[in-house]
């Protein structure tokens, strides 16, 4: 199920390896829709790590909910599961093949944390600063044959244009 009011998206799923890629694509598409393309990589990495933790560690089941919410200038991504155990950041040695998920989330996010969710369960979340990609400035004028240009209106006759020598410049 996907719900999408204006700035909130929820995906309910079983945290299985085959579903994690689908959720990454959903998150990426939603962030593109919100014009938050610069956040796609960090959000996809973070949600992948959180869903992998649910897949590997959550008990009694693998069902979870992924929420993304854009509130003012913060994007919050959270994964809710039914396991009340709180995850911890591990110090993985250089040869370990796992155990770095929360450390990665801490490295790429602005903040992260865990909050209990009722008697059974928790939500692990992280935030990213939402960069405004839309400008409030008016579009820049493109000066050409139908605009006055930056220096005002100076009439030029077609004969003057035809008589002017061609010029070119090479920068380098």
């Amino acid at each position: 199920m996907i719900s999408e009011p204006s700035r909130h998206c929820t995906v309910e799923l079983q945290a299985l390896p085959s579903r994690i890629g689908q959720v990454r694509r959903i998150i990426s598409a939603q962030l593109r829709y919100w014009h938050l393309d610069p956040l796609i990589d960090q959000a996809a990495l973070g949600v992948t790590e959180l869903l992998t933790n649910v897949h590997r560690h959550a008990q009694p089941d693998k069902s979870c909910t992924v929420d993304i919410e854009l509130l003012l200038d913060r994007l919050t991504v959270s994964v809710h599961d039914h396991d009340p155990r709180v995850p911890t950041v591990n110090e993985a040695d250089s040869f370990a093949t796992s155990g770095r998920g929360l450390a990665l989330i801490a490295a790429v996010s602005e903040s992260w944390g865990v909050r209990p969710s009722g008697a059974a369960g928790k939500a692990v979340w992280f935030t990213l600063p939402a960069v405004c990609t839309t400008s409030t400035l008016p579009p820049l004028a493109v000066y050409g044959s139908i605009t006055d240009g930056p220096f005002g209106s100076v009439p030029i006759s077609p004969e003057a244009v035809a008589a002017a020598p061609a010029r070119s410049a090479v920068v380098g």
Side-chain angles (χ1 to χ4, degrees), residues 1-171:
M1 174 178 106
I2 300 172
S3 67
E4 195 273 320
S6 63
R7 299 292 184 175
H8 184 252
C9 179
T10 300
V11 180
E12 295 177 10
L13 70 143
Q14 291 289 318
L16 303 172
S18 61
R19 299 284 295 163
I20 293 171
Q22 293 172 339
V23 173
R24 268 198 318 263
R25 288 188 293 279
I26 291 168
I27 300 290
S28 299
Q30 188 65 52
L31 293 179
R32 272 190 219 91
Y33 179 73
W34 289 342
H35 304 290
L36 294 172
D37 298 43
L39 301 182
I40 291 172
D41 290 340
Q42 295 109 307
L45 173 66
V47 80
T48 299
E49 294 301 330
L50 294 179
L51 289 174
T52 299
N53 283 350
V54 172
H55 173 69
R56 287 187 177 173
H57 306 292
Q59 300 293 330
D61 59 41
K62 307 302 179 190
S63 63
C64 62
T65 303
V66 176
D67 285 309
I68 60 172
E69 182 176 26
L70 180 61
L71 185 60
L72 300 176
D73 60 348
R74 294 285 170 272
L75 179 74
T76 302
V77 178
S78 59
V79 175
H80 307 259
D81 65 37
H82 299 122
D83 189 341
R85 294 176 298 161
V86 175
T88 58
V89 178
N90 294 329
E91 294 268 340
D93 68 35
S94 58
F95 297 107
T97 58
S98 64
R100 295 181 183 86
L102 291 177
L104 278 170
I105 290 171
V108 301
S109 67
E110 182 178 66
S111 61
W112 74 277
V114 180
R115 79 179 163 266
S117 179
K122 67 182 169 304
V124 182
W125 56 268
F126 64 92
T127 63
L128 300 170
V131 200
C132 183
T133 58
T134 58
S135 174
T136 57
L137 297 174
L140 294 173
V142 177
Y143 299 110
S145 62
I146 59 170
T147 63
D148 292 333
F151 305 111
S153 179
V154 179
I156 300 176
S157 69
E159 296 79 29
V161 172
R167 294 184 273 176
S168 65
V170 176
V171 178

